[in-house]
Amino acid sequence: MPSSHKRVDALFAGFASGLTKVAVGHGFDTVKTRLQLNPVFTNESAVHVLITTIRHEGVTALWKGATPPALGWAAIDSVLLGSLHQYRLFLLYNGMTEDPTATGRPRLTLLAHGTAGLLAGLTSAPLATPIELLKVRLQLQTQKAVSDRQFKGPVDCARHLVRSQGLLGLWTGFSGGLLFRANFFYMFLAFEACMRGLSRLKGTPYEPSVGIANLISGGAASLCFWTMALPFDRTKNQMMVHPYPRPYPESSTFKRPSFISVARQIHASEGIAGFHRGLATCFIRAFPSNACAFFVYEGILRALGAEQVRLLSF
């Protein structure tokens, strides 16, 4: 088994990936959150939300709530992608492999890549939940002046939550977060499947470099992920901001809603379509942000000489 110190490389690569994702995609994420949760925009398009936000609050409003992701998503992706690498290695060394070319150099099966993604998603959920909660609450504040907003920033929002609901208030929506992040099964399975598909172009005029293959596969995998995960994302976010747009509770006796009750509420008021609000915005945001994030993650792993979990064919 390779030396364990090399596995720390995945944590660093994940941290860099998280920063990349926020820099590229946070503005689109703000539009998605408002489409999903702000009743003013229930029947509006993403373009309308974008234009309205910029017109009334300025371009910088698209990066409301960016501080938690900038610091937090870097930490989340460090845990997500760092643990992903460890789970891949565990499955590789414990036989969840195949050797299709009979070379004696086994690789992980596609199911193993998906399983590692599932486990990594669940592992990152305890850290991701409070960070996502602060993000969506800050994104929903439409006042241009900071002095007019209920929460002046992530620290102020966190203080309000702890004061009104106790420390566990920061984990409102945790069950939804677990179900949402379980869908990383599809992302990492799809990423590996795309990488293997692109490797078949080797020796043809269309053969991509490893970096380009990472970009294409990362973007495509993100579309697969959001197609499956968006209903859970919508429900999770609704849990986190309950009872928005009514005022947030000030009492620790406030009963937080369950995933099932919120899902039923969304279905009753908006039907199945309500679970897919913001899908177009997700796709527009997800492809470039995740393509760049995978490019950075995989590139750093290669540069640092981390253990390989697949047989590269490029």
Side-chain angles (χ1 to χ4, degrees), residues 80-114:
L80 173 70
L81 298 175
S83 64
L84 172 75
H85 194 64
Q86 310 311 315
Y87 289 128
R88 281 172 167 173
L89 289 171
F90 176 81
L91 296 174
L92 181 66
Y93 298 138
N94 286 275
M96 203 168 178
T97 57
E98 61 186 3
D99 188 7
T101 58
T103 60
R105 296 174 60 203
R107 67 182 182 184
L108 285 174
T109 64
L110 287 178
L111 179 60
H113 280 280

mmCIF file of all heavy atoms in Angstrom, residues 80-114:
data_model
loop_
_atom_site.group_PDB
_atom_site.id
_atom_site.type_symbol
_atom_site.label_atom_id
_atom_site.label_comp_id
_atom_site.label_asym_id
_atom_site.label_seq_id
_atom_site.Cartn_x
_atom_site.Cartn_y
_atom_site.Cartn_z
ATOM 1 N N LEU A 80 -14.890 16.503 1.185
ATOM 2 C CA LEU A 80 -15.565 15.683 0.171
ATOM 3 C C LEU A 80 -14.550 14.949 -0.707
ATOM 4 O O LEU A 80 -14.584 13.721 -0.833
ATOM 5 C CB LEU A 80 -16.466 16.565 -0.691
ATOM 6 C CG LEU A 80 -17.109 15.882 -1.908
ATOM 7 C CD1 LEU A 80 -18.163 14.887 -1.461
ATOM 8 C CD2 LEU A 80 -17.712 16.915 -2.850
ATOM 9 N N LEU A 81 -13.644 15.710 -1.314
ATOM 10 C CA LEU A 81 -12.722 15.114 -2.270
ATOM 11 C C LEU A 81 -11.572 14.385 -1.577
ATOM 12 O O LEU A 81 -11.032 13.419 -2.119
ATOM 13 C CB LEU A 81 -12.204 16.192 -3.217
ATOM 14 C CG LEU A 81 -13.305 16.864 -4.057
ATOM 15 C CD1 LEU A 81 -12.738 17.999 -4.895
ATOM 16 C CD2 LEU A 81 -14.014 15.842 -4.942
ATOM 17 N N GLY A 82 -11.200 14.876 -0.379
ATOM 18 C CA GLY A 82 -10.192 14.157 0.381
ATOM 19 C C GLY A 82 -10.690 12.790 0.811
ATOM 20 O O GLY A 82 -9.998 11.780 0.656
ATOM 21 N N SER A 83 -11.922 12.740 1.330
ATOM 22 C CA SER A 83 -12.483 11.444 1.739
ATOM 23 C C SER A 83 -12.806 10.580 0.527
ATOM 24 O O SER A 83 -12.689 9.344 0.585
ATOM 25 C CB SER A 83 -13.733 11.652 2.598
ATOM 26 O OG SER A 83 -14.771 12.282 1.866
ATOM 27 N N LEU A 84 -13.203 11.214 -0.587
ATOM 28 C CA LEU A 84 -13.442 10.464 -1.822
ATOM 29 C C LEU A 84 -12.195 9.662 -2.206
ATOM 30 O O LEU A 84 -12.284 8.476 -2.545
ATOM 31 C CB LEU A 84 -13.808 11.422 -2.955
ATOM 32 C CG LEU A 84 -13.897 10.798 -4.347
ATOM 33 C CD1 LEU A 84 -15.172 9.991 -4.481
ATOM 34 C CD2 LEU A 84 -13.825 11.875 -5.434
ATOM 35 N N HIS A 85 -11.048 10.316 -2.134
ATOM 36 C CA HIS A 85 -9.796 9.646 -2.499
ATOM 37 C C HIS A 85 -9.517 8.470 -1.556
ATOM 38 O O HIS A 85 -9.093 7.397 -1.991
ATOM 39 C CB HIS A 85 -8.652 10.663 -2.453
ATOM 40 C CG HIS A 85 -7.400 10.188 -3.126
ATOM 41 N ND1 HIS A 85 -7.339 9.925 -4.474
ATOM 42 C CD2 HIS A 85 -6.154 9.925 -2.638
ATOM 43 C CE1 HIS A 85 -6.121 9.530 -4.793
ATOM 44 N NE2 HIS A 85 -5.380 9.514 -3.688
ATOM 45 N N GLN A 86 -9.785 8.682 -0.263
ATOM 46 C CA GLN A 86 -9.560 7.603 0.706
ATOM 47 C C GLN A 86 -10.510 6.436 0.459
ATOM 48 O O GLN A 86 -10.106 5.267 0.542
ATOM 49 C CB GLN A 86 -9.737 8.117 2.142
ATOM 50 C CG GLN A 86 -8.981 9.390 2.479
ATOM 51 C CD GLN A 86 -7.528 9.344 2.071
ATOM 52 O OE1 GLN A 86 -6.840 8.350 2.299
ATOM 53 N NE2 GLN A 86 -7.060 10.411 1.454
ATOM 54 N N TYR A 87 -11.779 6.730 0.163
ATOM 55 C CA TYR A 87 -12.743 5.655 -0.105
ATOM 56 C C TYR A 87 -12.374 4.911 -1.391
ATOM 57 O O TYR A 87 -12.512 3.683 -1.460
ATOM 58 C CB TYR A 87 -14.159 6.217 -0.208
ATOM 59 C CG TYR A 87 -14.735 6.683 1.112
ATOM 60 C CD1 TYR A 87 -15.291 7.963 1.251
ATOM 61 C CD2 TYR A 87 -14.745 5.851 2.228
ATOM 62 C CE1 TYR A 87 -15.823 8.390 2.458
ATOM 63 C CE2 TYR A 87 -15.268 6.260 3.441
ATOM 64 C CZ TYR A 87 -15.808 7.538 3.547
ATOM 65 O OH TYR A 87 -16.330 7.969 4.750
ATOM 66 N N ARG A 88 -11.923 5.648 -2.401
ATOM 67 C CA ARG A 88 -11.494 4.993 -3.632
ATOM 68 C C ARG A 88 -10.335 4.033 -3.359
ATOM 69 O O ARG A 88 -10.318 2.898 -3.841
ATOM 70 C CB ARG A 88 -11.066 6.041 -4.663
ATOM 71 C CG ARG A 88 -12.219 6.729 -5.389
ATOM 72 C CD ARG A 88 -11.686 7.862 -6.225
ATOM 73 N NE ARG A 88 -12.660 8.374 -7.179
ATOM 74 C CZ ARG A 88 -12.463 9.460 -7.934
ATOM 75 N NH1 ARG A 88 -11.324 10.130 -7.834
ATOM 76 N NH2 ARG A 88 -13.383 9.862 -8.779
ATOM 77 N N LEU A 89 -9.362 4.504 -2.589
ATOM 78 C CA LEU A 89 -8.217 3.659 -2.267
ATOM 79 C C LEU A 89 -8.638 2.431 -1.460
ATOM 80 O O LEU A 89 -8.163 1.324 -1.702
ATOM 81 C CB LEU A 89 -7.171 4.460 -1.491
ATOM 82 C CG LEU A 89 -6.410 5.528 -2.289
ATOM 83 C CD1 LEU A 89 -5.573 6.387 -1.355
ATOM 84 C CD2 LEU A 89 -5.541 4.890 -3.358
ATOM 85 N N PHE A 90 -9.545 2.638 -0.506
ATOM 86 C CA PHE A 90 -10.033 1.517 0.301
ATOM 87 C C PHE A 90 -10.694 0.468 -0.583
ATOM 88 O O PHE A 90 -10.438 -0.738 -0.439
ATOM 89 C CB PHE A 90 -11.007 2.027 1.356
ATOM 90 C CG PHE A 90 -11.645 0.928 2.172
ATOM 91 C CD1 PHE A 90 -10.973 0.353 3.243
ATOM 92 C CD2 PHE A 90 -12.909 0.457 1.853
ATOM 93 C CE1 PHE A 90 -11.543 -0.670 3.990
ATOM 94 C CE2 PHE A 90 -13.497 -0.558 2.585
ATOM 95 C CZ PHE A 90 -12.814 -1.124 3.663
ATOM 96 N N LEU A 91 -11.550 0.917 -1.489
ATOM 97 C CA LEU A 91 -12.248 -0.020 -2.364
ATOM 98 C C LEU A 91 -11.279 -0.675 -3.345
ATOM 99 O O LEU A 91 -11.435 -1.855 -3.699
ATOM 100 C CB LEU A 91 -13.365 0.704 -3.120
ATOM 101 C CG LEU A 91 -14.499 1.263 -2.242
ATOM 102 C CD1 LEU A 91 -15.469 2.080 -3.083
ATOM 103 C CD2 LEU A 91 -15.231 0.146 -1.515
ATOM 104 N N LEU A 92 -10.272 0.083 -3.776
ATOM 105 C CA LEU A 92 -9.268 -0.478 -4.682
ATOM 106 C C LEU A 92 -8.487 -1.600 -4.021
ATOM 107 O O LEU A 92 -8.233 -2.649 -4.625
ATOM 108 C CB LEU A 92 -8.314 0.640 -5.130
ATOM 109 C CG LEU A 92 -7.205 0.254 -6.108
ATOM 110 C CD1 LEU A 92 -7.795 -0.153 -7.452
ATOM 111 C CD2 LEU A 92 -6.219 1.402 -6.285
ATOM 112 N N TYR A 93 -8.111 -1.381 -2.754
ATOM 113 C CA TYR A 93 -7.310 -2.378 -2.041
ATOM 114 C C TYR A 93 -8.155 -3.518 -1.467
ATOM 115 O O TYR A 93 -7.609 -4.481 -0.938
ATOM 116 C CB TYR A 93 -6.526 -1.706 -0.906
ATOM 117 C CG TYR A 93 -5.548 -0.676 -1.396
ATOM 118 C CD1 TYR A 93 -5.406 0.530 -0.720
ATOM 119 C CD2 TYR A 93 -4.766 -0.897 -2.525
ATOM 120 C CE1 TYR A 93 -4.513 1.499 -1.179
ATOM 121 C CE2 TYR A 93 -3.872 0.055 -2.976
ATOM 122 C CZ TYR A 93 -3.747 1.248 -2.308
ATOM 123 O OH TYR A 93 -2.862 2.200 -2.753
ATOM 124 N N ASN A 94 -9.483 -3.376 -1.585
ATOM 125 C CA ASN A 94 -10.356 -4.422 -1.038
ATOM 126 C C ASN A 94 -11.211 -5.094 -2.099
ATOM 127 O O ASN A 94 -12.282 -5.626 -1.803
ATOM 128 C CB ASN A 94 -11.224 -3.834 0.081
ATOM 129 C CG ASN A 94 -10.432 -3.592 1.348
ATOM 130 O OD1 ASN A 94 -10.259 -4.495 2.154
ATOM 131 N ND2 ASN A 94 -9.938 -2.366 1.517
ATOM 132 N N GLY A 95 -10.745 -5.029 -3.325
ATOM 133 C CA GLY A 95 -11.290 -5.912 -4.345
ATOM 134 C C GLY A 95 -12.477 -5.441 -5.147
ATOM 135 O O GLY A 95 -13.007 -6.223 -5.947
ATOM 136 N N MET A 96 -12.932 -4.189 -4.990
ATOM 137 C CA MET A 96 -14.052 -3.725 -5.808
ATOM 138 C C MET A 96 -13.493 -3.215 -7.141
ATOM 139 O O MET A 96 -13.579 -2.054 -7.492
ATOM 140 C CB MET A 96 -14.842 -2.627 -5.084
ATOM 141 C CG MET A 96 -16.270 -2.489 -5.580
ATOM 142 S SD MET A 96 -17.247 -1.428 -4.468
ATOM 143 C CE MET A 96 -18.810 -1.431 -5.335
ATOM 144 N N THR A 97 -12.880 -4.162 -7.875
ATOM 145 C CA THR A 97 -12.099 -3.805 -9.053
ATOM 146 C C THR A 97 -12.451 -4.685 -10.241
ATOM 147 O O THR A 97 -13.186 -5.669 -10.121
ATOM 148 C CB THR A 97 -10.592 -3.947 -8.763
ATOM 149 O OG1 THR A 97 -10.329 -5.294 -8.343
ATOM 150 C CG2 THR A 97 -10.153 -2.984 -7.664
ATOM 151 N N GLU A 98 -11.866 -4.332 -11.376
ATOM 152 C CA GLU A 98 -11.993 -5.112 -12.599
ATOM 153 C C GLU A 98 -10.672 -5.014 -13.349
ATOM 154 O O GLU A 98 -9.883 -4.092 -13.125
ATOM 155 C CB GLU A 98 -13.145 -4.581 -13.463
ATOM 156 C CG GLU A 98 -12.939 -3.137 -13.905
ATOM 157 C CD GLU A 98 -14.139 -2.566 -14.634
ATOM 158 O OE1 GLU A 98 -15.160 -3.266 -14.754
ATOM 159 O OE2 GLU A 98 -14.039 -1.412 -15.095
ATOM 160 N N ASP A 99 -10.441 -5.961 -14.236
ATOM 161 C CA ASP A 99 -9.222 -5.963 -15.048
ATOM 162 C C ASP A 99 -9.619 -6.315 -16.475
ATOM 163 O O ASP A 99 -9.339 -7.415 -16.969
ATOM 164 C CB ASP A 99 -8.221 -6.976 -14.488
ATOM 165 C CG ASP A 99 -6.862 -6.896 -15.168
ATOM 166 O OD1 ASP A 99 -6.653 -5.963 -15.975
ATOM 167 O OD2 ASP A 99 -6.024 -7.774 -14.914
ATOM 168 N N PRO A 100 -10.289 -5.385 -17.160
ATOM 169 C CA PRO A 100 -10.871 -5.708 -18.472
ATOM 170 C C PRO A 100 -9.837 -6.050 -19.538
ATOM 171 O O PRO A 100 -10.150 -6.759 -20.497
ATOM 172 C CB PRO A 100 -11.640 -4.432 -18.840
ATOM 173 C CG PRO A 100 -10.965 -3.346 -18.057
ATOM 174 C CD PRO A 100 -10.519 -3.990 -16.785
ATOM 175 N N THR A 101 -8.610 -5.556 -19.395
ATOM 176 C CA THR A 101 -7.590 -5.827 -20.411
ATOM 177 C C THR A 101 -6.645 -6.946 -20.001
ATOM 178 O O THR A 101 -5.678 -7.225 -20.703
ATOM 179 C CB THR A 101 -6.780 -4.545 -20.681
ATOM 180 O OG1 THR A 101 -6.194 -4.087 -19.451
ATOM 181 C CG2 THR A 101 -7.675 -3.451 -21.249
ATOM 182 N N ALA A 102 -6.903 -7.556 -18.847
ATOM 183 C CA ALA A 102 -6.084 -8.678 -18.362
ATOM 184 C C ALA A 102 -4.611 -8.311 -18.283
ATOM 185 O O ALA A 102 -3.741 -9.105 -18.648
ATOM 186 C CB ALA A 102 -6.302 -9.906 -19.236
ATOM 187 N N THR A 103 -4.344 -7.127 -17.792
ATOM 188 C CA THR A 103 -2.952 -6.666 -17.678
ATOM 189 C C THR A 103 -2.374 -6.946 -16.303
ATOM 190 O O THR A 103 -1.182 -6.738 -16.078
ATOM 191 C CB THR A 103 -2.878 -5.146 -17.936
ATOM 192 O OG1 THR A 103 -3.694 -4.476 -16.962
ATOM 193 C CG2 THR A 103 -3.354 -4.811 -19.336
ATOM 194 N N GLY A 104 -3.227 -7.368 -15.374
ATOM 195 C CA GLY A 104 -2.771 -7.551 -14.002
ATOM 196 C C GLY A 104 -2.724 -6.259 -13.220
ATOM 197 O O GLY A 104 -2.205 -6.221 -12.103
ATOM 198 N N ARG A 105 -3.270 -5.207 -13.797
ATOM 199 C CA ARG A 105 -3.341 -3.901 -13.114
ATOM 200 C C ARG A 105 -4.823 -3.526 -12.978
ATOM 201 O O ARG A 105 -5.385 -2.845 -13.826
ATOM 202 C CB ARG A 105 -2.596 -2.826 -13.898
ATOM 203 C CG ARG A 105 -1.097 -3.069 -14.013
ATOM 204 C CD ARG A 105 -0.464 -2.036 -14.922
ATOM 205 N NE ARG A 105 -0.672 -0.691 -14.381
ATOM 206 C CZ ARG A 105 -0.639 0.414 -15.122
ATOM 207 N NH1 ARG A 105 -0.475 0.329 -16.440
ATOM 208 N NH2 ARG A 105 -0.811 1.597 -14.553
ATOM 209 N N PRO A 106 -5.478 -3.995 -11.932
ATOM 210 C CA PRO A 106 -6.923 -3.761 -11.795
ATOM 211 C C PRO A 106 -7.257 -2.291 -11.569
ATOM 212 O O PRO A 106 -6.443 -1.523 -11.053
ATOM 213 C CB PRO A 106 -7.304 -4.604 -10.583
ATOM 214 C CG PRO A 106 -6.050 -4.694 -9.784
ATOM 215 C CD PRO A 106 -4.936 -4.752 -10.791
ATOM 216 N N ARG A 107 -8.450 -1.927 -11.967
ATOM 217 C CA ARG A 107 -8.966 -0.584 -11.726
ATOM 218 C C ARG A 107 -10.300 -0.698 -11.007
ATOM 219 O O ARG A 107 -10.939 -1.758 -11.027
ATOM 220 C CB ARG A 107 -9.149 0.174 -13.035
ATOM 221 C CG ARG A 107 -10.251 -0.404 -13.916
ATOM 222 C CD ARG A 107 -10.394 0.335 -15.228
ATOM 223 N NE ARG A 107 -11.492 -0.211 -16.020
ATOM 224 C CZ ARG A 107 -11.800 0.207 -17.254
ATOM 225 N NH1 ARG A 107 -11.074 1.154 -17.824
ATOM 226 N NH2 ARG A 107 -12.825 -0.324 -17.900
ATOM 227 N N LEU A 108 -10.735 0.374 -10.395
ATOM 228 C CA LEU A 108 -12.034 0.384 -9.741
ATOM 229 C C LEU A 108 -13.148 0.220 -10.762
ATOM 230 O O LEU A 108 -13.067 0.732 -11.877
ATOM 231 C CB LEU A 108 -12.234 1.702 -8.995
ATOM 232 C CG LEU A 108 -11.476 1.896 -7.681
ATOM 233 C CD1 LEU A 108 -11.689 3.315 -7.168
ATOM 234 C CD2 LEU A 108 -11.918 0.893 -6.626
ATOM 235 N N THR A 109 -14.197 -0.465 -10.374
ATOM 236 C CA THR A 109 -15.387 -0.533 -11.214
ATOM 237 C C THR A 109 -16.119 0.806 -11.168
ATOM 238 O O THR A 109 -15.879 1.635 -10.286
ATOM 239 C CB THR A 109 -16.342 -1.628 -10.724
ATOM 240 O OG1 THR A 109 -16.804 -1.281 -9.399
ATOM 241 C CG2 THR A 109 -15.649 -2.985 -10.677
ATOM 242 N N LEU A 110 -17.010 0.998 -12.124
ATOM 243 C CA LEU A 110 -17.819 2.223 -12.104
ATOM 244 C C LEU A 110 -18.670 2.286 -10.834
ATOM 245 O O LEU A 110 -18.843 3.356 -10.246
ATOM 246 C CB LEU A 110 -18.714 2.279 -13.346
ATOM 247 C CG LEU A 110 -18.030 2.595 -14.678
ATOM 248 C CD1 LEU A 110 -19.041 2.562 -15.811
ATOM 249 C CD2 LEU A 110 -17.338 3.952 -14.629
ATOM 250 N N LEU A 111 -19.198 1.144 -10.424
ATOM 251 C CA LEU A 111 -19.997 1.107 -9.200
ATOM 252 C C LEU A 111 -19.154 1.526 -7.997
ATOM 253 O O LEU A 111 -19.649 2.217 -7.095
ATOM 254 C CB LEU A 111 -20.569 -0.297 -8.975
ATOM 255 C CG LEU A 111 -21.409 -0.479 -7.703
ATOM 256 C CD1 LEU A 111 -22.616 0.461 -7.713
ATOM 257 C CD2 LEU A 111 -21.861 -1.935 -7.570
ATOM 258 N N ALA A 112 -17.884 1.143 -7.985
ATOM 259 C CA ALA A 112 -17.004 1.535 -6.887
ATOM 260 C C ALA A 112 -16.808 3.042 -6.861
ATOM 261 O O ALA A 112 -16.789 3.667 -5.791
ATOM 262 C CB ALA A 112 -15.659 0.827 -7.014
ATOM 263 N N HIS A 113 -16.648 3.658 -8.027
ATOM 264 C CA HIS A 113 -16.510 5.116 -8.082
ATOM 265 C C HIS A 113 -17.777 5.792 -7.559
ATOM 266 O O HIS A 113 -17.710 6.787 -6.825
ATOM 267 C CB HIS A 113 -16.210 5.564 -9.514
ATOM 268 C CG HIS A 113 -14.784 5.390 -9.918
ATOM 269 N ND1 HIS A 113 -13.793 6.276 -9.550
ATOM 270 C CD2 HIS A 113 -14.169 4.426 -10.642
ATOM 271 C CE1 HIS A 113 -12.631 5.874 -10.048
ATOM 272 N NE2 HIS A 113 -12.832 4.754 -10.710
ATOM 273 N N GLY A 114 -18.935 5.250 -7.937
ATOM 274 C CA GLY A 114 -20.181 5.803 -7.424
ATOM 275 C C GLY A 114 -20.320 5.614 -5.929
ATOM 276 O O GLY A 114 -20.746 6.530 -5.209
#
